[in-house]
Amino acid sequence: MDSITQVVLGAACGELVAGKKMGNRAMIWGGIGGTISDLDVLANVFMDPVNAMMFHRGPMHSLMFASLIPLLLGPLVKKLYDRDWYQRKFWQWIGFGLGIILYSFSAFVIFFLSKLVAGDTPWIITLFLLLTGVAFFYARFQKIKNHPSDISNVPVKIWIQLFFWSIFTHPLLDSLTTYGTQLFWPFSDYRVSISSISIVDPLYTIPFALSLLAVALCVRGHQWRRYFIITGVCISSAYMLFTFWNKLHINEKFKNSLVAEHVHFKNYMTVPTILNNALWYGIAETDTGYVCGYYSLFDDKIDFRPLQFIQHNHQILDPYRNQYLIEKLPWFSDGYYKVISSGLGEYDYYDLRFGSMRGNIHDHESIIFKMKLLDRDGQIELIDEARPENKKEDIEWFKQRIFGKIQ
């Protein structure tokens, strides 16, 4: 899922493992552990775009990585604390500054999502975020200014457990989205993709984050810290269980739609659209192409119909079948893609797993995941990754489609 959600989940793991001994530092280090796997995006600096895209959610999102890295990080961080580096004002102010940056970024994400849903500036949420941030960081400022920082002598096994759970839960959560995660690398390159929750889902993240904020406002060792974190975990887990049940329910809806239309399909998948778990996109593979449709829990209709048929045109790339890029792209797209030749050796490659911004898969400009390929002296190269523009009318259509006002 998105990086903010991974930080929240990692912070919760840190609090559960070591909050009683370490206070808010447990959440800070848990949040750091929760975002380590996503550092694989730095591969864009060292690799070409194709290999960087394949590397993301690969080795650094594997269970092997999550099992080994804590054995290195735990003793390393323990060693730093043994040398009392955290007692120095310089590092305390560095941590204070990073906290402000992280809170500001998180608050902006919440503000943006609220504005997207409300269609106007959410003043109540804005005021709440502002007052909460000021109160929390003022209290933290007074502590840094007037009281020396202290921490218990936490054993190394606690550090290892903290990093293990904060890192281990990251790929597990990512595997529930559509993008796919190579959990079993290096033994297999299979991308686990359950597609039960969107890559960004405020209903999962925001209540969880608010519980952590409540924890952070409590002093170390206070019993309410435990109550708040358990409440956050229970709410997020209950919502996650709902998404699993909803996925099974939606799968039945989509299969019934295919059967009703006498569609003979090989494979199919259903995907929650961005920011919610109410509006779903379904796509099924046939001998000549794909059949897809949309369904919302708020719809008056009972299934995904009417369905749209898409020709995949896979044969266009047959002359390049033995090339690395043409072998990897279908694997990356889990077999759900179409190709269009735009002439002069240029090809538009559409990853169909994520659907369209306007609900019309034939509107190529609105397909969410698109790549442009170029034949350069017989070799296919990736020259561009395009995303549809977030036009106001598209966002308005999307909001109305979620709540079944457009079908």
Side-chain angles (χ1 to χ4, degrees):
M1 293 186 72
D2 63 284
S3 295
I4 292 297
T5 302
Q6 294 291 5
V7 169
V8 168
L9 179 59
C13 291
E15 174 63 25
L16 287 169
V17 172
K20 197 169 184 179
K21 293 180 177 293
M22 299 171 55
N24 289 345
R25 288 190 187 85
M27 288 193 291
I28 294 172
W29 284 109
I32 291 172
T35 198
I36 283 176
S37 294
D38 277 342
L39 294 180
D40 61 5
V41 298
L42 296 177
N44 290 292
V45 178
F46 309 103
M47 296 181 178
D48 62 84
V50 176
N51 283 304
M53 184 171 63
M54 305 302 170
F55 183 75
H56 182 48
R57 293 221 186 164
M60 291 181 64
H61 281 71
S62 67
L63 300 182
M64 176 73 77
F65 180 87
S67 300
L68 295 179
I69 290 300
L71 299 177
L72 300 175
L73 283 179
L76 175 62
V77 176
K78 165 66 174 170
K79 195 72 174 177
L80 292 174
Y81 272 93
D82 286 345
R83 295 184 176 181
D84 292 337
W85 66 277
Y86 67 97
Q87 297 277 14
R88 302 170 188 172
K89 291 289 185 181
F90 173 77
W91 291 110
Q92 292 182 12
W93 286 111
I94 288 291
F96 183 76
L98 290 176
I100 291 179
I101 293 173
L102 179 60
Y103 181 84
S104 300
F105 179 70
S106 303
F108 173 78
V109 171
I110 295 173
F111 168 82
F112 174 77
L113 294 177
S114 302
K115 185 175 182 179
L116 190 63
V117 173
D120 199 359
T121 301
W123 291 110
I124 294 179
I125 292 178
T126 302
L127 183 62
F128 172 79
L129 292 171
L130 179 62
L131 293 178
T132 302
V134 170
F136 177 75
F137 286 106
Y138 176 77
R140 182 60 183 162
F141 170 79
Q142 291 298 322
K143 185 174 182 180
I144 292 176
K145 181 180 177 182
N146 301 321
H147 303 284
S149 181
D150 62 338
I151 189 170
S152 302
N153 187 20
V154 180
V156 68
K157 68 177 182 179
I158 297 296
W159 283 108
I160 293 175
Q161 291 174 16
L162 184 154
F163 283 116
F164 172 77
W165 287 111
S166 61
I167 297 174
F168 186 77
T169 52
H170 183 125
L172 293 183
L173 184 59
D174 275 349
S175 68
L176 302 180
T177 65
T178 305
Y179 195 92
T181 308
Q182 295 181 56
L183 286 181
F184 308 112
W185 182 93
F187 308 106
S188 171
D189 65 355
Y190 176 70
R191 297 171 70 91
V192 179
S193 175
I194 296 175
S195 295
S196 61
I197 192 169
S198 173
I199 196 170
V200 181
D201 192 326
L203 288 181
Y204 177 81
T205 307
I206 293 178
F208 208 174
L210 291 177
S211 73
L212 287 179
L213 181 60
V215 171
L217 294 174
C218 297
V219 297
R220 185 199 310 176
H222 197 286
Q223 61 179 353
W224 280 103
R225 289 182 73 100
R226 199 72 176 173
Y227 295 153
F228 285 135
I229 191 61
I230 293 297
T231 299
V233 170
C234 288
I235 291 174
S236 64
S237 298
Y239 182 73
M240 191 62 74
L241 288 174
F242 162 75
T243 67
F244 291 148
W245 173 86
N246 199 28
K247 170 78 173 181
L248 296 175
H249 169 70
I250 293 296
N251 281 350
E252 286 300 313
K253 291 278 187 182
F254 188 52
K255 284 192 290 186
N256 292 341
S257 305
L258 296 171
V259 171
E261 293 294 319
H262 307 288
V263 176
H264 300 285
F265 60 94
K266 300 176 181 178
N267 304 297
Y268 77 93
M269 69 184 302
T270 56
V271 180
T273 55
I274 194 74
L275 300 177
N276 74 105
N277 209 257
L279 178 60
W280 288 71
Y281 163 74
I283 182 169
E285 181 185 5
T286 69
D287 290 330
T288 57
Y290 305 99
V291 174
C292 66
Y294 284 84
Y295 173 77
S296 170
L297 298 180
F298 298 99
D299 281 352
D300 295 330
K301 62 181 185 178
I302 61 172
D303 56 28
F304 281 74
R305 291 179 290 174
L307 300 173
Q308 304 174 50
F309 175 76
I310 317 160
Q311 287 187 321
H312 55 49
N313 300 323
H314 291 175
Q315 70 280 358
I316 291 177
L317 297 179
D318 282 347
Y320 313 101
R321 281 295 164 196
N322 294 325
Q323 296 185 24
Y324 175 79
L325 180 59
I326 304 306
E327 288 182 347
K328 281 296 184 180
L329 283 180
W331 166 82
F332 176 78
S333 303
D334 204 17
Y336 295 95
Y337 69 99
K338 69 176 290 186
V339 184
I340 293 178
S341 174
S342 52
L344 301 177
E346 291 189 359
Y347 305 95
D348 292 325
Y349 178 97
Y350 298 94
D351 188 322
L352 301 176
R353 292 175 297 165
F354 305 94
S356 163
M357 277 297 296
R358 301 175 194 139
N360 181 3
I361 208 70
H362 297 292
D363 183 355
H364 297 144
E365 295 302 316
S366 68
I367 293 178
I368 293 174
F369 208 127
K370 170 186 173 182
M371 288 173 266
K372 187 169 286 294
L373 310 178
L374 175 65
D375 181 339
R376 200 185 300 274
D377 298 326
Q379 293 292 316
I380 285 290
E381 297 180 4
L382 175 64
I383 59 174
D384 187 30
E385 292 182 57
R387 298 288 188 276
E389 297 181 15
N390 292 324
K391 298 180 180 178
K392 186 176 181 179
E393 56 269 27
D394 294 341
I395 295 174
E396 188 60 34
W397 177 92
F398 181 68
K399 287 163 53 179
Q400 293 191 38
R401 184 66 190 88
I402 289 177
F403 294 103
K405 297 178 180 179
I406 298 176
Q407 298 180 26

